[in-house]
Amino acid sequence: MTLLEQVRKGRLPQHVAIIMDGNGRWAEARGLPRTAGHRAGAAAAERLIRFVGPRLELPYLTLFAFSSENWARPRGEVEFLMDLLSDFLRSRLAEFAEAGIQLRVIGDLSRVPDRLRREVCEAVAATRDNRGLRLTIALSYGGRQEIAAAARRIAEEAVAGRLRPDAVDADVFAGFLETAGAPDPDLVIRTSGEERVSNFLLWQSAYAELHFAQTLWPDFTPAEFVRALAEYQTRTRRFGAVEEATA
Ligand code: FPP
């Protein structure tokens, strides 16, 4: 039995979220500009999306494409990444729609170039009714910013008399996040050997299993993704509770 078959028989996560790190180092190691690393990184993301949809019953996949903090990178690199995402949406939309993928985007889109914002809205609208893989791209996204925005909206609702402050619990709060309605990630993967969460899905990954891969993102293959799932299946998840047998 192949590892993929074995993984498919086991307990699959509902939601995997990935911090795609190491594009710059991949390029530097080859004497190439950082932008070449991002291009190779986009190709790795495409490879994985094409693999996951048909091969695994994984309902939710979230990819961290650009963080709130990435705006501080050199202007040329930021522009390149925005263009790359634009190209990605334009050139892959038909294929995704055909494959039943539902595209979602989380993050502060008010900061992205008008053209990309339009393309994002079109792609989200065009795939809204699809029922295959829910692919979320985190773009201009920061977990703290998302939580602060939710708190702001909750305060506005309370001031307007539509929400009682004592009714605000964790479930109500989660309903004000951009990810409302989606399950929390069961597994967060970060590539490139860095072991940080870097402001990614801070609220949502409260009980996520973390998997740190040494591979630089452009080299991350579907086979390695399957190995990460196999490793995830060996973990015992207790969500803060204690198993009866060991109590
Ligand atoms: C981190 O590597 C990666 C990013 C900031 C950008 C991620 C973007 C992509 C993988 C391409 C576009 C994505 C899609 C979904 C098409 P880094 O530049 O921080 O690498 P380094 O830590 O080695 O410098």
Side-chain angles (χ1 to χ4, degrees):
M1 189 162 52
T2 66
L3 190 60
L4 176 61
E5 284 162 352
Q6 194 181 309
V7 160
R8 281 166 56 101
K9 282 201 165 74
R11 168 186 53 106
L12 275 168
Q14 284 270 99
H15 182 178
V16 179
I18 308 184
I19 302 174
M20 307 180 287
D21 193 17
N23 295 348
R25 274 164 285 168
W26 183 93
E28 279 153 26
R30 287 162 178 74
L32 298 169
R34 291 175 58 79
T35 49
H38 294 315
R39 198 182 290 289
E46 282 181 35
R47 244 187 349 249
L48 188 66
I49 295 164
R50 285 206 190 95
F51 173 81
V52 165
R55 304 288 184 88
L56 287 163
E57 277 157 38
L58 174 66
Y60 291 86
L61 177 68
T62 299
L63 301 177
F64 201 2
F66 193 88
S67 74
S68 307
E69 292 70 30
N70 288 155
W71 290 112
R73 292 193 175 199
R75 195 171 144 171
E77 184 173 343
V78 168
E79 283 174 3
F80 183 88
L81 279 165
M82 294 297 132
D83 286 347
L84 191 62
L85 286 160
S86 237
D87 284 353
F88 173 76
L89 288 179
R90 247 182 299 114
S91 62
R92 301 290 165 241
L93 183 58
E95 181 191 332
F96 288 172
E98 184 70 20
I101 291 175
Q102 185 188 87
L103 185 81
R104 300 168 175 204
V105 175
I106 54 172
D108 180 4
L109 293 187
S110 71
R111 298 182 73 180
V112 310
D114 291 347
R115 194 177 64 128
L116 177 55
R117 191 167 49 248
R118 260 197 319 276
E119 283 159 357
V120 163
C121 292
E122 279 167 25
V124 168
T127 60
R128 180 165 290 139
D129 297 328
N130 286 350
R131 288 293 168 261
L133 175 70
R134 263 71 160 178
L135 171 67
T136 301
I137 309 280
L139 169 58
S140 184
Y141 173 84
R144 286 184 170 177
Q145 289 81 347
E146 181 192 26
I147 291 168
R152 206 158 45 239
R153 282 202 298 280
I154 287 171
E156 284 163 6
E157 291 297 299
V159 167
R162 291 189 291 265
L163 184 61
R164 287 201 339 269
D166 63 4
V168 181
D169 59 15
D171 286 341
V172 169
F173 198 97
F176 282 83
L177 294 170
E178 291 193 69
T179 50
D184 287 340
D186 304 291
L187 173 64
V188 174
I189 298 174
R190 182 175 187 144
T191 57
S192 91
E194 307 282 340
E195 303 193 351
R196 286 187 295 281
V197 287
S198 295
N199 207 12
F200 186 44
L201 298 176
L202 292 183
W203 173 286
Q204 298 85 342
S205 7
Y207 285 101
E209 296 295 325
L210 305 178
H211 178 98
F212 298 110
Q214 294 304 313
T215 315
L216 301 175
W217 174 252
D219 290 330
F220 193 81
T221 57
E224 186 159 1
F225 183 73
V226 172
R227 286 200 290 278
L229 294 181
E231 200 255 330
Y232 163 84
Q233 290 178 333
T234 65
R235 306 219 188 153
T236 309
R237 302 187 74 202
R238 292 196 299 268
F239 300 93
V242 175
E243 278 173 291
E244 277 194 11
T246 55

